[in-house]
């Protein structure tokens, strides 16, 4: 890919969380049950924090962004959000809209700087990543000359891990034998700015529990509108206890503007709960 | 992948024919129309023979088999069959059974020798290769430690081709600069037998036009049975002119046995035409 200007690297880069989300999606398990099964199979470590909070994926996307964009990106610059808050309801509603939920690492090389994040995302069921299940990982790379490329393989389990480590050792051995260590050295010769999460833009999937009375949808929609958040799709459902559930997918919006709207919602008496928001690819 | 014993390499390795088949599948074009469009876009060369007859894919799968199985495989040992006989009817019937048609290169490393072929195949709509469309290529590799891996990218077009060539040149340049040419040399240190196509086994999708009268299906089924061809699925449709069309998917069968059955059909007066047979992955 050396002849390309790479503009995006993204994908599923943690096998443990992908296994957990696949179990939740295909077998209707809740998070705790799926985590227990992942631990039993040796995918999740005794302390699963680095996997389920997105730290492991964050370290990987930092390395990939550094190589792809020729500029050092460190883990501390990566915005990370894990899968511990994803519920069976989120997965069910996403499916109704034609999406599946995956933990994605996303790095973009924009004119105003590098964007690098790890968080759960809704991706369309027809996207090639939507069918990357269980402990499989897959990475998409976009370059100006080559267009899109994808690489997929198992990202957890003792034999696939051993296979990857052995490949690296053999590569080092070949370099030693031919005395060409450093043949491909550090390529971070640029010093690009890494954007703060608030400066980046996303589409959001948002679930709100509100009082079920006339004018509430208009009320909520106007808060979003006043903060520059435009609505792409909305579904309203009645729930028990005089509550209405609003499920909203927004157009792309600057994250700080979206957060401003969430702050307003928290102060409104008609809004009983922000049940969750998940970005949309 | 150096730590693995690789048992299979397969995939879509020709962008031009994949573009043509995608146009036929998605836009209902016939073969000639899709070929003309591929030529217009610069995917197909003035003489498209090497692409559409599977020769280009055959050369690629010979190289990939040699590297994967550590034994020299030459183009002359590859069974090749192109896409020129694929019809709109084949594609439509395949879809009814839940399949799409792709030109696949398949190389297997079996205990009794190497199997290496290029031919059109029906693959299930849910298989990751089914959504590899237009000028995209993708290769699956299966190893004993790593399990499955897939690599996907554009396989035709001026910029993607230039990108790949530039990458190779840069690799040679690095080897020159570090004086380590030959770092990864020829790895064909085994001398494995390459099987004849007749010795290999496949599932087949078969379309036959026969006289529409009682006992014909039983007649045809018994010819298949006598030659060791077991039927997995069959659909019979009435057609104009007193003909019945039989669409059959077989279980896996030795190719020579399947061919024996075809020879018997050609000598039967009730069989008016063998409209085509395509292998099933």
């Amino acid at each position: 890919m050396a002849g390309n200007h790479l503009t995006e690297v993204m994908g599923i880069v943690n096998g443990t969380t992908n296994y957990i989300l696949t179990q939740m999606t295909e077998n209707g398990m809740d998070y705790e049950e799926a985590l227990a099964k992942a631990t039993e199979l040796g995918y999740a470590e005794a302390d699963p924090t680095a996997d389920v909070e997105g730290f492991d994926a964050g370290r990987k996307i930092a390395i990939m962004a550094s190589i792809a964009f020729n500029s050092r990106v460190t883990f501390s610059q990566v915005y990370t959000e894990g899968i511990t808050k994803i519920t069976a309801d989120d997965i069910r509603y996403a499916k109704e809209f034609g999406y599946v939920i995956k933990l994605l690492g996303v790095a973009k090389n924009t004119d105003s700087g590098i964007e690098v994040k790890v968080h759960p995302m809704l991706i369309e069921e027809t996207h090639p990543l939507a069918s990357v299940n269980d402990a499989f990982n897959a990475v998409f790379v976009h370059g100006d000359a080559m267009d899109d490329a994808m690489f997929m393989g198992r990202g957890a389990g003792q034999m696939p891990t051993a296979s990857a480590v052995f490949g690296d050792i053999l590569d080092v051995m070949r370099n030693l034998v031919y005395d060409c260590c450093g043949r491909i050295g550090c390529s971070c010769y640029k010093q690009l700015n890494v954007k703060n999460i608030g400066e980046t833009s996303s589409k959001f999937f948002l679930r709100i529990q509100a009082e079920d009375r006339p004018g509430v949808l208009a009320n909520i929609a106007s808060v979003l509108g006043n903060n520059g958040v435009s609505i792409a799709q909305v579904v309203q459902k009645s729930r028990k206890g005089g509550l209405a559930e609003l499920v909203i997918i927004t157009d792309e919006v600057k994250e700080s503007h979206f957060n401003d709207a969430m702050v307003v919602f928290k102060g409104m008496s008609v809004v009983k709960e922000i049940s969750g928001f998940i970005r949309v690819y």
Side-chain angles (χ1 to χ4, degrees), chain A:
Chain A
M1 300 179 189
N4 290 266
H5 175 68
L6 300 179
T7 50
E8 188 172 357
V9 182
M10 67 82 96
I12 298 165
V13 292
N14 182 274
T16 308
T17 48
N18 201 42
Y19 176 82
I20 292 171
L21 289 174
T22 302
Q23 289 299 319
M24 291 175 71
T25 304
E26 293 187 351
N27 303 325
M29 286 186 190
D30 66 19
Y31 169 74
E32 293 299 338
E33 192 183 353
L35 172 60
K37 206 172 162 197
T39 308
E40 189 186 311
L41 287 169
Y43 293 155
E45 294 177 52
D47 177 358
T49 310
D51 286 328
V52 301
E53 294 297 349
F55 302 157
D56 171 79
R59 291 180 186 114
K60 287 169 179 163
I61 197 77
I63 295 171
M64 290 194 288
S66 300
I67 297 171
F69 307 151
N70 301 118
S71 182
R72 177 73 60 200
V73 177
T74 61
F75 175 53
S76 63
Q77 294 170 308
V78 181
Y79 173 82
T80 55
E81 208 179 287
I83 62 163
T84 56
K85 286 177 199 151
I86 302 294
T87 64
D89 276 355
D90 290 325
I91 288 173
R92 197 161 36 80
Y93 280 115
K95 196 186 169 80
E96 273 184 36
F97 282 90
Y99 292 92
V100 296
I101 297 178
K102 295 288 187 187
L103 182 70
L104 295 184
V106 181
K108 290 183 189 175
N109 193 4
T110 77
D111 289 341
S112 55
I114 292 174
E115 299 180 6
V116 58
K117 343 183 201 180
V118 170
H119 44 56
M121 278 191 121
L122 275 68
I123 53 171
E124 284 181 20
E125 280 170 346
T126 54
H127 191 284
L129 284 179
S131 56
V132 174
N133 288 324
D134 300 314
F136 276 92
N137 282 192
V139 174
F140 263 84
V141 185
H142 183 85
D144 55 353
M146 69 179 197
D147 195 31
D148 283 323
M150 185 177 102
F151 308 89
M152 190 193 83
R154 284 198 176 268
Q158 63 180 13
M159 291 304 283
T161 305
S163 167
V165 172
F166 182 86
D168 285 347
I169 292 174
L170 197 81
D171 213 38
V172 172
M173 283 164 59
R174 279 181 172 139
N175 286 345
L176 289 173
V177 169
Y178 280 86
D179 193 24
C180 59
C181 295
R183 177 175 166 278
I184 301 177
C186 177
S187 56
C188 296
Y189 53 83
K190 293 183 190 171
Q191 289 195 305
L192 300 176
N193 168 48
V194 177
K195 290 195 211 172
N196 186 285
I197 181 80
E199 299 171 65
T200 69
S201 294
S202 296
K203 293 182 193 178
F204 284 91
F205 163 89
L206 170 67
R207 288 200 300 126
I208 294 177
Q209 315 300 325
E211 280 182 26
D212 195 4
R213 56 179 174 80
V216 169
L217 176 57
N219 213 329
I220 284 170
S222 75
V223 169
L224 290 172
N226 292 341
N227 286 282
V229 185
S230 147
I231 295 174
Q233 292 179 66
V234 62
V235 171
Q236 180 173 345
K237 307 191 173 200
S238 287
R239 301 206 67 162
K240 289 172 195 164
L243 287 182
E245 176 158 35
L246 293 169
V247 185
I248 296 167
I249 292 183
T250 74
D251 287 325
E252 194 161 291
V253 57
K254 206 171 170 182
E255 295 231 353
S256 59
H257 293 166
F258 181 83
N259 292 336
D260 290 345
M262 293 307 106
V263 171
V264 177
F265 285 149
K266 277 173 194 160
M268 286 167 68
S269 61
V270 294
V271 173
K272 294 304 171 195
E273 185 187 278
I274 300 172
S275 307
F277 49 86
I278 307 173
R279 292 165 187 84
V280 180
Y281 189 75

